[in-house]
Amino acid sequence: MQATIRATYRAFTIAVMLGAFCWNASLSAQGHNVLILLADDLGVDQVSCYAEGSNPAPTNNIDALAARGVLFRNAWSCETCSPSRMTIMLGRHTFRDEVGEWIRYQSNNWTGPGSMVAADWTLPDVLDHAGSGYAHGAFGKWHMSQWAQGTAHPDQVGGWGVFKGAMESPKPSFFNWPYVVNGVATTNTTYATTQHVDDAIAFVQSQPGGQPWVCYLAFTAPHSPFHAPPPHLHTQNLAGLSVPGAATSPGNIPFYKAAIEAMDNEIGRLFATLGTTVMADTNVIFLGDNGTPIGLSEAPFDPARGKTTPYEEGLGIPFIIAGPAVAGVPREESRLVSTVDVFATALDMAGVLAGVPSFNVVDGISLMPYLQSATSPTLRDYIFSDRWRGDQWPDPITDPSGFGRASIRNDRYKLIDRNNTTNDEFYDLQQDPFEQNNLRGSLNAQEQQAYNYLKSTSDSLRVAPEQVFPYGSNNCIGSNGVMPTTSISGSPDIGAVYSVVLHNAASNCIAIRVDGTSELEEGGIPLPLDLTVIGAGPGCLLEHSSLQMLVAGVTSPAGSSSSSVLVPNNPALVGFGLYHSYAVFGDQTPGATFPVVMSNATAILIGG
């Protein structure tokens, strides 16, 4: 019997390898360039085209972008910068990576545990994994790692092909700041906003003709330290003014506006230098990382409710998309969007959204349907954001400091879900856009229904992370008229043992467990592989790579089999994924010429 099993294993392996050479398909579908422009501490009150603030800074180039694109009226970020940047880079809510607050770096005293880690699937990671052919570079502010993780973090962990910029905000000034180029830090005395644009231009211009690219340009402006930009970049009257000592002082407003105008003018220089031909082939995503800082917003906004607060002035951001992916412009879009949507949207623009591994939870959605049609179906009915300082899963909102909170809204109502529920806040944003009337203590029937929905949705998000993900389109029917399936028994955690269980197979057949690390390619051969090329039945697919094919045994009279996996007790494995399926040899789809039937595939995420 063992000789038969070994022969079967070899026959299947050889057949799959030979069949792969006959299969020629590709996930990669190169699209247009993608340029992500992220402003640091810019609320809607300070962007002229939003017409929400009484005296916004001049933003002629951002306004011109909106005039050829879609302006999103109800866009949210996180309350502070690092979490928002993580949502953009990973497409996930911040509690999944324990980043509920701005991350500790050299010049601040935050001690929270979270940051981007090697197991995270970043935007450039997916571009490379999917074989997109896109070049990618990141420029400007990083601030998604802790000081101890080093200056090579954007390249080695973030996955960017090139990084030039600042690990945090420019310190001590925009004219004297630590400048990192691919992990090497020096001192730079060029105005930071200008340097970031220079680097982005150099990256784009260095790409050979026809090479698509994704450029992430994260400005350090108009974040503090407040300053007077070079005179040619702004029109603010700063004569005789000095920067106040307190960051929240209204005396900073002229300098804040000057930094916004300087950034806007440098965006104009970026567009002009790249030229009309390149820009016509480039989708531009412009947004902020949080609202205007406390003390700097102007009427009708409340200066006490900006950045770091859960109110609309802290969460609401400018969010504009223009380019060849957008139709029917200019127009406004009132449906709910978030920074968490940038990840999926950018990958969709590059044609490789399907390259995200099945075990990687993505909370964001691609906004492409909204960009292509104002009447497309609505894709979500809520947006979510949270802020917290704990490090305990599964519910960071209950961190020991009592600080945690989550914000969630639908198209009308908003809940601020605080650690202490007696302090929850509930608003009707249609009637009360500046959140002056907390309805929590006196809800009518409609309001109570909305409150219950938002509260239950917020609670359902913050649950223990999934670890098992059935996926794929395999529909390989065996001689018993059904497709074999796999399930996971036990928890795939480090130091633990779990089992991969086969169900619904034909009895007395050889079960070969197939383990893999990719659902996109096998030794350069694109997946899934249609096994009809080796004589299997229609719908029979190899859904993932075959890093290991383990002979599990012979199926029982009930058509089942099981084999165990021991996960090494290595914390570095947490967050990594593995794929499992079964090849049932000795069974075949009626009419097939090769005796193999494939089960569905299952991805697992290794936990701690």
Side-chain angles (χ1 to χ4, degrees), residues 9 486 498-501 511-515 544 548-553 562-566 578-583:
Y9 173 77
T486 58
Y498 67 93
S499 296
V500 185
V501 184
I512 299 176
R513 195 187 81 212
V514 185
D515 302 333
H544 60 78
Q548 172 179 282
M549 292 185 181
L550 173 69
V551 178
S562 179
S563 57
S564 299
V565 179
L566 170 62
L578 191 63
Y579 300 89
H580 300 296
S581 61
Y582 275 96

mmCIF file of all heavy atoms in Angstrom, residues 9 486 498-501 511-515 544 548-553 562-566 578-583:
data_model
loop_
_atom_site.group_PDB
_atom_site.id
_atom_site.type_symbol
_atom_site.label_atom_id
_atom_site.label_comp_id
_atom_site.label_asym_id
_atom_site.label_seq_id
_atom_site.Cartn_x
_atom_site.Cartn_y
_atom_site.Cartn_z
ATOM 1 N N TYR A 9 1.668 9.838 -5.252
ATOM 2 C CA TYR A 9 2.210 11.158 -4.930
ATOM 3 C C TYR A 9 3.096 11.667 -6.067
ATOM 4 O O TYR A 9 2.979 12.802 -6.519
ATOM 5 C CB TYR A 9 2.989 11.065 -3.625
ATOM 6 C CG TYR A 9 3.745 12.314 -3.250
ATOM 7 C CD1 TYR A 9 3.093 13.415 -2.715
ATOM 8 C CD2 TYR A 9 5.120 12.388 -3.430
ATOM 9 C CE1 TYR A 9 3.791 14.552 -2.371
ATOM 10 C CE2 TYR A 9 5.826 13.526 -3.086
ATOM 11 C CZ TYR A 9 5.155 14.599 -2.549
ATOM 12 O OH TYR A 9 5.852 15.732 -2.220
ATOM 13 N N THR A 486 -12.397 21.110 2.998
ATOM 14 C CA THR A 486 -11.460 21.084 4.117
ATOM 15 C C THR A 486 -11.972 21.978 5.229
ATOM 16 O O THR A 486 -12.694 22.947 4.995
ATOM 17 C CB THR A 486 -10.062 21.571 3.703
ATOM 18 O OG1 THR A 486 -10.148 22.899 3.188
ATOM 19 C CG2 THR A 486 -9.449 20.665 2.676
ATOM 20 N N TYR A 498 -2.682 22.130 15.113
ATOM 21 C CA TYR A 498 -4.026 22.137 14.557
ATOM 22 C C TYR A 498 -4.100 21.062 13.472
ATOM 23 O O TYR A 498 -3.078 20.559 13.010
ATOM 24 C CB TYR A 498 -4.407 23.510 14.002
ATOM 25 C CG TYR A 498 -3.629 23.965 12.778
ATOM 26 C CD1 TYR A 498 -4.102 23.726 11.489
ATOM 27 C CD2 TYR A 498 -2.427 24.655 12.915
ATOM 28 C CE1 TYR A 498 -3.390 24.150 10.378
ATOM 29 C CE2 TYR A 498 -1.709 25.090 11.818
ATOM 30 C CZ TYR A 498 -2.198 24.834 10.548
ATOM 31 O OH TYR A 498 -1.503 25.260 9.441
ATOM 32 N N SER A 499 -5.324 20.705 13.098
ATOM 33 C CA SER A 499 -5.523 19.644 12.114
ATOM 34 C C SER A 499 -6.208 20.187 10.881
ATOM 35 O O SER A 499 -7.089 21.058 10.967
ATOM 36 C CB SER A 499 -6.369 18.512 12.708
ATOM 37 O OG SER A 499 -5.702 17.900 13.787
ATOM 38 N N VAL A 500 -5.804 19.684 9.724
ATOM 39 C CA VAL A 500 -6.462 19.974 8.459
ATOM 40 C C VAL A 500 -7.311 18.751 8.122
ATOM 41 O O VAL A 500 -6.778 17.654 7.927
ATOM 42 C CB VAL A 500 -5.445 20.250 7.341
ATOM 43 C CG1 VAL A 500 -6.173 20.676 6.064
ATOM 44 C CG2 VAL A 500 -4.447 21.319 7.770
ATOM 45 N N VAL A 501 -8.626 18.932 8.100
ATOM 46 C CA VAL A 501 -9.556 17.816 7.999
ATOM 47 C C VAL A 501 -10.230 17.815 6.626
ATOM 48 O O VAL A 501 -10.706 18.856 6.156
ATOM 49 C CB VAL A 501 -10.628 17.893 9.104
ATOM 50 C CG1 VAL A 501 -11.534 16.666 9.054
ATOM 51 C CG2 VAL A 501 -9.969 18.016 10.479
ATOM 52 N N ALA A 511 -5.493 10.429 0.118
ATOM 53 C CA ALA A 511 -5.626 11.854 0.406
ATOM 54 C C ALA A 511 -4.243 12.478 0.510
ATOM 55 O O ALA A 511 -3.449 12.095 1.380
ATOM 56 C CB ALA A 511 -6.412 12.059 1.692
ATOM 57 N N ILE A 512 -3.952 13.408 -0.356
ATOM 58 C CA ILE A 512 -2.670 14.120 -0.340
ATOM 59 C C ILE A 512 -2.947 15.555 0.101
ATOM 60 O O ILE A 512 -3.651 16.300 -0.587
ATOM 61 C CB ILE A 512 -2.005 14.112 -1.724
ATOM 62 C CG1 ILE A 512 -1.717 12.678 -2.165
ATOM 63 C CG2 ILE A 512 -0.731 14.948 -1.707
ATOM 64 C CD1 ILE A 512 -1.139 12.576 -3.562
ATOM 65 N N ARG A 513 -2.427 15.927 1.276
ATOM 66 C CA ARG A 513 -2.600 17.306 1.747
ATOM 67 C C ARG A 513 -1.578 18.196 1.058
ATOM 68 O O ARG A 513 -0.380 17.915 1.069
ATOM 69 C CB ARG A 513 -2.422 17.397 3.259
ATOM 70 C CG ARG A 513 -2.947 18.726 3.840
ATOM 71 C CD ARG A 513 -2.618 18.878 5.296
ATOM 72 N NE ARG A 513 -1.253 19.346 5.497
ATOM 73 C CZ ARG A 513 -0.487 19.022 6.531
ATOM 74 N NH1 ARG A 513 -0.927 18.166 7.433
ATOM 75 N NH2 ARG A 513 0.748 19.502 6.629
ATOM 76 N N VAL A 514 -2.067 19.256 0.473
ATOM 77 C CA VAL A 514 -1.212 20.202 -0.243
ATOM 78 C C VAL A 514 -1.090 21.460 0.607
ATOM 79 O O VAL A 514 -2.092 22.105 0.928
ATOM 80 C CB VAL A 514 -1.792 20.540 -1.630
ATOM 81 C CG1 VAL A 514 -0.830 21.440 -2.405
ATOM 82 C CG2 VAL A 514 -2.092 19.268 -2.417
ATOM 83 N N ASP A 515 0.138 21.827 0.983
ATOM 84 C CA ASP A 515 0.409 23.029 1.754
ATOM 85 C C ASP A 515 1.125 24.037 0.860
ATOM 86 O O ASP A 515 1.964 23.650 0.030
ATOM 87 C CB ASP A 515 1.308 22.737 2.954
ATOM 88 C CG ASP A 515 0.703 21.699 3.883
ATOM 89 O OD1 ASP A 515 -0.530 21.590 3.916
ATOM 90 O OD2 ASP A 515 1.481 21.010 4.584
ATOM 91 N N HIS A 544 -3.572 27.042 -4.747
ATOM 92 C CA HIS A 544 -2.428 27.652 -4.089
ATOM 93 C C HIS A 544 -1.179 26.848 -4.391
ATOM 94 O O HIS A 544 -1.223 25.758 -4.957
ATOM 95 C CB HIS A 544 -2.655 27.756 -2.581
ATOM 96 C CG HIS A 544 -2.880 26.434 -1.911
ATOM 97 N ND1 HIS A 544 -1.869 25.557 -1.611
ATOM 98 C CD2 HIS A 544 -4.032 25.832 -1.495
ATOM 99 C CE1 HIS A 544 -2.361 24.483 -1.042
ATOM 100 N NE2 HIS A 544 -3.673 24.611 -0.955
ATOM 101 N N GLN A 548 4.569 21.980 -0.071
ATOM 102 C CA GLN A 548 4.713 20.615 0.432
ATOM 103 C C GLN A 548 3.467 19.832 0.077
ATOM 104 O O GLN A 548 2.353 20.323 0.209
ATOM 105 C CB GLN A 548 4.905 20.623 1.948
ATOM 106 C CG GLN A 548 4.873 19.233 2.581
ATOM 107 C CD GLN A 548 5.093 19.276 4.068
ATOM 108 O OE1 GLN A 548 6.226 19.415 4.516
ATOM 109 N NE2 GLN A 548 4.020 19.165 4.844
ATOM 110 N N MET A 549 3.639 18.597 -0.419
ATOM 111 C CA MET A 549 2.523 17.679 -0.626
ATOM 112 C C MET A 549 2.728 16.502 0.317
ATOM 113 O O MET A 549 3.679 15.736 0.180
ATOM 114 C CB MET A 549 2.458 17.207 -2.080
ATOM 115 C CG MET A 549 2.090 18.295 -3.064
ATOM 116 S SD MET A 549 1.875 17.649 -4.744
ATOM 117 C CE MET A 549 1.499 19.162 -5.634
ATOM 118 N N LEU A 550 1.868 16.421 1.311
ATOM 119 C CA LEU A 550 2.006 15.423 2.359
ATOM 120 C C LEU A 550 0.952 14.336 2.177
ATOM 121 O O LEU A 550 -0.239 14.631 2.092
ATOM 122 C CB LEU A 550 1.823 16.078 3.725
ATOM 123 C CG LEU A 550 1.780 15.131 4.925
ATOM 124 C CD1 LEU A 550 3.154 14.507 5.167
ATOM 125 C CD2 LEU A 550 1.299 15.867 6.178
ATOM 126 N N VAL A 551 1.392 13.088 2.077
ATOM 127 C CA VAL A 551 0.447 11.978 1.976
ATOM 128 C C VAL A 551 -0.201 11.782 3.340
ATOM 129 O O VAL A 551 0.455 11.380 4.305
ATOM 130 C CB VAL A 551 1.139 10.687 1.519
ATOM 131 C CG1 VAL A 551 0.138 9.540 1.482
ATOM 132 C CG2 VAL A 551 1.770 10.883 0.150
ATOM 133 N N ALA A 552 -1.475 12.124 3.439
ATOM 134 C CA ALA A 552 -2.171 12.061 4.716
ATOM 135 C C ALA A 552 -2.697 10.670 5.018
ATOM 136 O O ALA A 552 -2.885 10.312 6.174
ATOM 137 C CB ALA A 552 -3.314 13.078 4.723
ATOM 138 N N GLY A 553 -2.992 9.898 3.995
ATOM 139 C CA GLY A 553 -3.517 8.571 4.237
ATOM 140 C C GLY A 553 -4.633 8.222 3.285
ATOM 141 O O GLY A 553 -4.753 8.798 2.207
ATOM 142 N N SER A 562 -7.576 13.197 8.037
ATOM 143 C CA SER A 562 -7.092 14.301 8.853
ATOM 144 C C SER A 562 -5.602 14.188 9.041
ATOM 145 O O SER A 562 -5.057 13.076 9.118
ATOM 146 C CB SER A 562 -7.797 14.313 10.221
ATOM 147 O OG SER A 562 -7.331 15.363 11.026
ATOM 148 N N SER A 563 -4.923 15.322 9.109
ATOM 149 C CA SER A 563 -3.496 15.351 9.402
ATOM 150 C C SER A 563 -3.189 16.591 10.215
ATOM 151 O O SER A 563 -3.903 17.595 10.136
ATOM 152 C CB SER A 563 -2.669 15.322 8.110
ATOM 153 O OG SER A 563 -3.035 16.406 7.271
ATOM 154 N N SER A 564 -2.140 16.545 11.000
ATOM 155 C CA SER A 564 -1.838 17.604 11.962
ATOM 156 C C SER A 564 -0.692 18.485 11.492
ATOM 157 O O SER A 564 0.197 18.046 10.754
ATOM 158 C CB SER A 564 -1.487 16.990 13.325
ATOM 159 O OG SER A 564 -2.571 16.249 13.831
ATOM 160 N N VAL A 565 -0.732 19.732 11.952
ATOM 161 C CA VAL A 565 0.326 20.703 11.674
ATOM 162 C C VAL A 565 0.812 21.262 13.003
ATOM 163 O O VAL A 565 0.020 21.775 13.808
ATOM 164 C CB VAL A 565 -0.185 21.856 10.789
ATOM 165 C CG1 VAL A 565 0.933 22.859 10.527
ATOM 166 C CG2 VAL A 565 -0.755 21.323 9.489
ATOM 167 N N LEU A 566 2.099 21.158 13.269
ATOM 168 C CA LEU A 566 2.709 21.747 14.457
ATOM 169 C C LEU A 566 3.313 23.096 14.072
ATOM 170 O O LEU A 566 4.183 23.172 13.215
ATOM 171 C CB LEU A 566 3.793 20.845 15.031
ATOM 172 C CG LEU A 566 4.673 21.449 16.138
ATOM 173 C CD1 LEU A 566 3.834 21.808 17.365
ATOM 174 C CD2 LEU A 566 5.803 20.490 16.521
ATOM 175 N N LEU A 578 -0.705 30.613 5.756
ATOM 176 C CA LEU A 578 -0.386 29.337 5.122
ATOM 177 C C LEU A 578 -1.666 28.826 4.468
ATOM 178 O O LEU A 578 -2.778 29.132 4.923
ATOM 179 C CB LEU A 578 0.113 28.347 6.170
ATOM 180 C CG LEU A 578 0.754 27.037 5.699
ATOM 181 C CD1 LEU A 578 2.021 27.321 4.912
ATOM 182 C CD2 LEU A 578 1.073 26.153 6.904
ATOM 183 N N TYR A 579 -1.513 28.034 3.395
ATOM 184 C CA TYR A 579 -2.650 27.540 2.629
ATOM 185 C C TYR A 579 -2.697 26.009 2.689
ATOM 186 O O TYR A 579 -1.654 25.343 2.668
ATOM 187 C CB TYR A 579 -2.538 27.978 1.169
ATOM 188 C CG TYR A 579 -2.511 29.475 0.974
ATOM 189 C CD1 TYR A 579 -1.304 30.174 0.983
ATOM 190 C CD2 TYR A 579 -3.686 30.196 0.781
ATOM 191 C CE1 TYR A 579 -1.273 31.543 0.802
ATOM 192 C CE2 TYR A 579 -3.665 31.564 0.603
ATOM 193 C CZ TYR A 579 -2.457 32.230 0.614
ATOM 194 O OH TYR A 579 -2.443 33.593 0.437
ATOM 195 N N HIS A 580 -3.919 25.477 2.737
ATOM 196 C CA HIS A 580 -4.108 24.030 2.761
ATOM 197 C C HIS A 580 -5.252 23.616 1.822
ATOM 198 O O HIS A 580 -6.261 24.329 1.706
ATOM 199 C CB HIS A 580 -4.464 23.541 4.171
ATOM 200 C CG HIS A 580 -3.440 23.830 5.215
ATOM 201 N ND1 HIS A 580 -2.177 23.294 5.184
ATOM 202 C CD2 HIS A 580 -3.495 24.598 6.333
ATOM 203 C CE1 HIS A 580 -1.498 23.719 6.233
ATOM 204 N NE2 HIS A 580 -2.275 24.507 6.953
ATOM 205 N N SER A 581 -5.088 22.477 1.202
ATOM 206 C CA SER A 581 -6.182 21.813 0.480
ATOM 207 C C SER A 581 -5.820 20.334 0.373
ATOM 208 O O SER A 581 -4.734 19.914 0.802
ATOM 209 C CB SER A 581 -6.392 22.428 -0.916
ATOM 210 O OG SER A 581 -5.234 22.289 -1.716
ATOM 211 N N TYR A 582 -6.713 19.549 -0.191
ATOM 212 C CA TYR A 582 -6.450 18.122 -0.389
ATOM 213 C C TYR A 582 -6.629 17.763 -1.860
ATOM 214 O O TYR A 582 -7.555 18.248 -2.530
ATOM 215 C CB TYR A 582 -7.413 17.263 0.434
ATOM 216 C CG TYR A 582 -6.959 17.032 1.858
ATOM 217 C CD1 TYR A 582 -7.420 17.839 2.891
ATOM 218 C CD2 TYR A 582 -6.079 16.004 2.153
ATOM 219 C CE1 TYR A 582 -7.024 17.613 4.199
ATOM 220 C CE2 TYR A 582 -5.671 15.772 3.468
ATOM 221 C CZ TYR A 582 -6.141 16.587 4.484
ATOM 222 O OH TYR A 582 -5.742 16.360 5.768
ATOM 223 N N ALA A 583 -5.730 16.910 -2.337
ATOM 224 C CA ALA A 583 -5.909 16.223 -3.615
ATOM 225 C C ALA A 583 -6.326 14.790 -3.299
ATOM 226 O O ALA A 583 -5.620 14.074 -2.584
ATOM 227 C CB ALA A 583 -4.616 16.234 -4.414
#
